[in-house]
Amino acid sequence: LEFRMPVPRSEELSDLAEVMNNMAEQLQQRISQITQQHSEQDAVLSSMVEGVIAFDMEERLININRSAATLLRINFEKARGKSIQEVVRNVGLQRFVEQTMASGDATEGFITLVDEVERFLQVHGSILRDEQRRPLGVLVVMNDYTELRSLENVRREFVANVSHELKTPITSIKGYV
C-alpha cells in the first residue's frame, strides 16, 4: 500500500494512476485506524480487573481477557473459536450464557467455581448486537465475589456470637434484679 504508481503523460492513464494512488492511501489510513482501534480495545480489556468473555450465537468463544482466563483457568490464546463446553468446565456459567441468549436481555447472577478453593463470581450478561440490532452473541462480565462473601460470613458469625454472649449476662442480671 505504500507503493505509488507513477503518473504517465496520457490523460486516461494519469487519471487511473491518481485514482489508484488515492485508493492505496485511503486503504492504508483505514488499516492503520483499524489496527489502532484494535490495539486500544486490547489494552482496555487486558487492564480490566473484571473478567470479560464474549461468545457468538453458536456459543463459541470470540474474545476473553486475562482476568477471565485467570478466573476460569483457561489458556486464552488456545481458547478462541472453541465452544463454551470445551473452554469452560463450569455448568453454572454455561447455563448462564444459555439463559442470557434465551432471554435476549441483560441478566445477572452468581456462580460458584470449585477448584483448589471455592470461589464465588457475580456475573452480568448482555446480548451483543450489530447496527441493525440483530444479536451477534453474549458478553459476560465476571467479578470475583469470594472475599466479600467471606467477609460477610465473618460479620454474620461475629454478630451471632456477640448476641449469644450478651444474652447470658443479661439473663443473669435479670435473675438478680
Side-chain angles (χ1 to χ4, degrees):
L1 293 176
E2 293 174 6
F3 176 77
R4 298 295 182 259
M5 294 179 66
V7 180
R9 291 183 189 252
S10 78
E11 188 174 330
E12 293 86 16
L13 290 178
S14 68
D15 290 343
L16 180 63
E18 287 176 12
V19 167
M20 293 293 286
N21 288 340
N22 287 338
M23 189 170 59
E25 186 175 333
Q26 289 173 356
L27 277 172
Q28 186 176 16
Q29 289 174 355
R30 178 77 111 182
I31 289 172
S32 67
Q33 180 184 16
I34 290 171
T35 304
Q36 181 181 357
Q37 288 174 345
H38 184 67
S39 298
E40 290 171 359
Q41 179 187 18
D42 283 346
V44 167
L45 282 175
S46 65
S47 67
M48 289 180 68
V49 175
E50 295 85 6
V52 178
I53 189 166
F55 297 98
D56 65 11
M57 292 307 286
E58 284 79 38
E59 296 182 357
R60 287 188 312 262
L61 190 126
I62 299 171
N63 204 347
I64 184 170
N65 70 349
R66 290 190 189 276
S67 296
T70 302
L71 280 172
L72 300 173
R73 310 245 190 268
I74 296 173
N75 183 344
F76 72 99
E77 283 111 9
K78 294 180 181 178
R80 285 198 174 110
K82 293 186 179 177
S83 72
I84 188 172
Q85 290 80 16
E86 292 177 84
V87 175
V88 179
R89 302 286 182 191
N90 184 285
V91 177
L93 184 58
Q94 293 172 4
R95 286 187 183 144
F96 180 78
V97 170
E98 290 171 5
Q99 175 188 357
T100 304
M101 281 187 185
S103 73
D105 202 9
T107 54
E108 269 188 58
F110 292 94
I111 60 170
T112 304
L113 299 177
V114 181
D115 291 330
E116 300 88 42
V117 293
E118 191 174 48
R119 289 178 290 142
F120 301 96
L121 301 179
Q122 181 181 26
V123 289
H124 301 274
S126 60
I127 300 292
L128 296 172
R129 299 186 185 277
D130 63 7
E131 293 83 25
Q132 287 79 31
R133 304 288 299 153
R134 292 181 301 222
L136 295 174
V138 173
L139 180 72
V140 178
V141 179
M142 300 174 285
N143 293 310
D144 192 353
Y145 196 66
T146 306
E147 191 172 329
L148 193 59
R149 188 162 177 160
S150 69
L151 290 173
E152 180 65 27
N153 287 339
V154 167
R155 185 194 63 81
R156 193 177 307 122
E157 289 173 11
F158 176 76
V159 169
N161 287 339
V162 166
S163 67
H164 175 72
E165 293 298 325
L166 287 176
K167 283 180 185 178
T168 305
I170 290 175
T171 306
S172 298
I173 292 170
K174 279 184 180 178
Y176 286 123
V177 169

